[in-house]
Each structure stands twice: as C-alpha cells, then as structure tokens.
Amino acid sequence: MFDRRRMLKSVGGGVAAGVASGLVAGSPFPAFAAERVTLPFANGERPLVKYPGKRSLIVLTTRPPQLETPFSVFNEGMLTPNDAFFGRYHLADIPLAIETEAFRINVQGKVDKPLLLSLQDLKTGFESIEFVAVHQCSGNSRGFSDPRVPGGQLGNGAMGNARWKGVPLKAVLDRAGVQAGAVQVSFKGLDGPVIPATPSFVKALDIDHARDGEVMVAYAMNGEDLPWLNGFPVRLVVPGFFGTYWVKHLNEITVLDKVFDGFWMKSAYRIPANACACSEPGKPPASTTPINRFNVRSFITSVLDGAAIKAGADTPLRGIAFDGGEGITDVAVSSDGGRTWQAASLGESLGKYSFREWKSVVRLPKGEHSLMVRALNRIGVSQPTKALWNPPGYMRNVIETTRVVAA
C-alpha cells in the first residue's frame, strides 16, 4: 500500500532548496510562490503557490492552509482535477504523517458494537458507492460581500466537483448497531488546535441524514487516493451540503443521544433562520440555524471578466450550474445586462449533486456588454438579481455578471 507518510517526508527534503525560490513562511508544507493574482475586490492580491500534490493555487492563508482554485480551472471540464481542487482547514495543527497501516476510524457512542475500522476494512469489508458531487466552502465568494464581512476573503474558487468513492455512512452505522434514542452523529478528524483553549473541529448531522445512504465515508477522489490536503486517507462527503460538514482525515464517528452543542455547530457556521438566509446589514438576525444545503448557483467559465471578444461574430459561451441536490433543469443567458434572456443548452447530467455544463452562443456589436447567467432547479428555485447579505458572508448566489468588450 502506498504510504503517504514517506511521500511527505521526501517532499520535505526540498524545503531548504525552496527557501531561495520563495518558500511561504509559516506553512507546515514546502510551498513555492511563483506569481501573484488580484481578485476583483478590495485587498484582493494573492500569491499563487504550489503545495505538495497541487498545481499553483491561490493562497489566502498558510497556517492553516486555505487554498483557492483559480477560476479558469472550471473551464477545463466538469470534474475538477485533484491537483487543482481547493483546500480549506480551520485549525493549524495539521497531520503531516499518517501511518496508513495503523490508521483507524473509531465508531463509538450509542452503538451496540463499537468499531475500529482500518482503511483496508473500508475498502474490502463494505460494498462501495460512487457518485459525482460538488464540494463548496461555506464562505465561497465572501470577498464580494457588500458591506464587507469578517472571515476569509475568498473569490469564486472555493468549490470543486469530483467523483467520490467510499462506503455509505449508513453501512458503517448499521454494522455498529445504532441504539434507540440516537439523535445525531458527530465527526472529528486528525487536524487539531494549536492551543488547548481552541475548540476541536467537530461537526454533526441529524441521525436520519447520517443514515440516508448518500452520506459517504470517502477514500477516493476522481479515481485516486484522496490528496493529502483534501483529507487523506478518509474524509466525510455530505452531498449537497456545504463543506464545513465534509470532515477531513476522519478518525472519530460518535452516535449521540442529544443534539451536539460544540462550538462549530452551536456558535459557528450559522445563518439567519429565514427563507433567504439573509439579514439587513447592521441588524443581527432574529434567530440563526446551522448552515446546510447549497442554494442555486451558475457561472460563465469560458469568458472571464474584462475579456475582449470579436464584435459581430458568434462567441461560444460555456459554464456550470449546480444546487443542493434537486438538480438543474434550465439555464438562461443574457447579453444585455438582464433585459432579455435566451435559453442555454444543457450538457450531460453527471448526477443531481454535480456541476451541470451549459452552452450558448452570443453575437455582440462593438462596445461594452454585461453577460449574465441564471439557473433554475427541478422545484422552480432560481437565483436573486441582487446579492443577499448575512453577517458571516455565506451562501452568495446572486446572478453573476461578466463584463466584456466587443471590438
């Protein structure tokens, strides 16, 4: 079995040589800064950095690593390559060495038979499942919030679409034997806090959700082992739900007889408890609830903001749309700032949790133009024309505008 512990150790040998090449200070990984990009909001300048197993990604922080996918990657195909997939940690004590043979997942709590599962147990002792699903950070696009809000100022690249393979969480829980009265299941990984006062990163799902057959204990991504920075050797995959629940380096599953009240559920990652998950700037929401499913989103990927295109000629447009699992049924494109719309054609469906490709063609006269795209899902939910706001900067899904010049 391939041992990632040796891989990181060998990569670490290049640190000394990398200092002269721009080694990023404070990072636990040897990472090399080659150039910089500027995201389209205030203080948007970022380094592009190569981390182990990754191509050059946009770096927000190094300790812990917060790595954003350059937006141009999303025009390469519907599956985001592993080496371009974004990475996001909350706590800086990241595992740098994992003995794959000794690694175990502890299944405990209100169960009849506690389990210690090895990676081999997962791969050979259960029937596997596989599906394509979008993984999106709760704070994706936070940098565009107006008024600005605290938190990582991300562009639109804290998302990705991958083919995940693993074991249904339901099968693991069934083998352990969930006891009557179980209410939730909590999840913890190997990454931890630097100081004891910082709460460990633990998330929870309601018991029925945890046992729906879709939540996955995943060990493969796009046909390969999980990349280290995406949770090797095992992570939780919660299709349709924001990435805060997708616990990396998963090693503890605990069945609970009450609602989990840890910091990362009770205090953090909460949204206004209303239909739009929005509130008025300057006024705290009346009540909040844990963030949960994606809303509808769509993007143009083939033309970037500020691009120059040929006037009077057919310009092919291409992009992506997705939601929390209802499935995208319609996409429309506007070339006149939203005054008129034309239907786009949809590409192959890779599943209800996946990016859905769309295509269209526009022909523009000379001048400046605002291209827009909006999506509609199976139950008739679309996107707002004006960006909604909430204090943590979560769940942006406004109809996006790409400004171009035809000449």
Side-chain angles (χ1 to χ4, degrees):
M1 182 179 296
F2 180 65
D3 190 342
R4 291 294 178 95
R5 182 184 59 129
R6 295 195 189 101
M7 183 277 287
L8 281 191
K9 187 175 181 180
S10 65
V11 172
V15 172
V19 172
S21 303
L23 183 68
V24 177
S27 172
F29 295 100
F32 301 89
E35 54 185 311
R36 302 183 74 83
V37 297
T38 301
L39 299 176
F41 43 75
N43 299 318
E45 187 177 358
R46 306 278 187 271
L48 278 170
V49 176
K50 288 185 178 180
Y51 275 70
K54 298 292 183 182
R55 66 177 79 171
S56 293
L57 300 183
I58 301 167
V59 173
L60 180 61
T61 63
T62 60
R63 192 172 186 267
Q66 294 189 72
L67 311 176
E68 181 176 345
T69 301
F71 196 77
S72 60
V73 169
F74 300 119
N75 201 49
E76 295 180 9
M78 290 302 100
L79 296 181
T80 310
N82 287 3
D83 69 344
F85 215 96
F86 85 98
R88 164 48 164 138
Y89 283 88
H90 298 83
L91 305 175
D93 187 9
I94 297 168
L96 300 181
I98 296 174
E99 289 276 9
T100 53
E101 295 294 338
F103 174 81
R104 297 290 185 272
I105 299 177
N106 185 10
V107 184
Q108 59 190 0
K110 297 296 181 178
V111 295
D112 295 328
K113 181 184 177 183
L115 304 174
L116 281 175
L117 298 174
S118 68
L119 186 59
Q120 191 67 12
D121 290 335
L122 291 175
K123 291 183 175 182
T124 63
F126 296 86
E127 185 175 347
S128 65
I129 58 171
E130 190 171 349
F131 54 72
V132 178
V134 175
H135 177 29
Q136 180 182 208
C137 179
S138 307
N140 192 29
S141 313
R142 182 188 283 117
F144 297 99
S145 294
D146 185 16
R148 301 294 289 275
V149 297
Q153 301 301 298
L154 292 161
N156 292 325
M159 63 179 182
N161 192 43
R163 185 177 301 277
W164 308 94
K165 181 178 181 179
V167 174
L169 176 62
K170 180 181 187 300
V172 173
L173 295 176
D174 286 351
R175 182 165 298 184
V178 174
Q179 294 178 356
V183 173
Q184 285 194 330
V185 183
S186 69
F187 309 91
K188 182 179 179 296
L190 290 172
D191 48 321
V194 174
I195 59 175
T198 303
S200 295
F201 189 75
V202 182
K203 298 298 293 188
L205 297 173
D206 289 343
I207 188 66
D208 288 344
H209 186 185
R211 301 182 71 182
D212 68 0
E214 293 186 326
V215 178
M216 180 195 294
V217 179
Y219 49 75
M221 177 178 171
N222 291 331
E224 301 176 349
D225 289 343
L226 294 173
W228 192 276
L229 291 168
N230 295 109
F232 178 87
V234 172
R235 80 172 307 158
L236 197 68
V237 167
V238 188
F241 266 51
F242 279 97
T244 180
Y245 295 96
W246 294 44
V247 174
K248 293 182 292 297
H249 314 293
L250 178 66
N251 73 327
E252 286 187 14
I253 299 172
T254 306
V255 179
L256 306 168
D257 60 2
K258 60 182 179 180
V259 173
F260 178 72
D261 63 355
F263 172 81
W264 298 99
M265 291 296 297
K266 185 177 181 180
S267 301
Y269 284 100
R270 298 185 70 88
I271 55 175
N274 54 40
C276 65
C278 63
S279 58
E280 184 179 343
K283 293 184 179 180
S287 60
T288 64
T289 190
I291 194 170
N292 44 82
R293 286 195 180 273
F294 301 158
N295 40 18
V296 179
R297 299 205 77 177
S298 60
F299 296 93
I300 297 170
T301 61
S302 58
V303 178
L304 300 181
D305 199 63
I309 63 175
K310 187 176 181 180
D314 285 349
T315 299
L317 297 181
R318 179 177 184 241
I320 55 177
F322 64 97
D323 74 341
E326 296 295 343
I328 298 298
T329 56
D330 297 278
V331 172
V333 173
S334 173
S335 59
D336 55 13
R339 291 189 294 274
T340 62
W341 295 85
Q342 66 185 50
S345 61
L346 296 181
E348 176 189 4
S349 173
L350 300 180
K352 63 182 181 179
Y353 293 115
S354 171
F355 284 162
R356 187 74 183 269
E357 182 183 36
W358 61 265
K359 292 181 179 179
S360 187
V361 177
V362 296
R363 180 176 291 186
L364 302 177
K366 289 184 178 181
E368 297 180 353
H369 301 273
S370 294
L371 305 178
M372 305 176 75
V373 59
R374 69 184 183 196
L376 183 78
N377 72 6
R378 184 184 60 82
I379 59 173
V381 178
S382 187
Q383 300 173 254
T385 57
K386 182 180 179 181
L388 305 175
W389 189 92
N390 55 51
Y394 295 153
M395 300 183 67
R396 175 183 169 92
N397 77 322
V398 66
I399 295 173
E400 301 286 350
T401 300
T402 303
R403 295 168 181 82
V404 299
V405 177

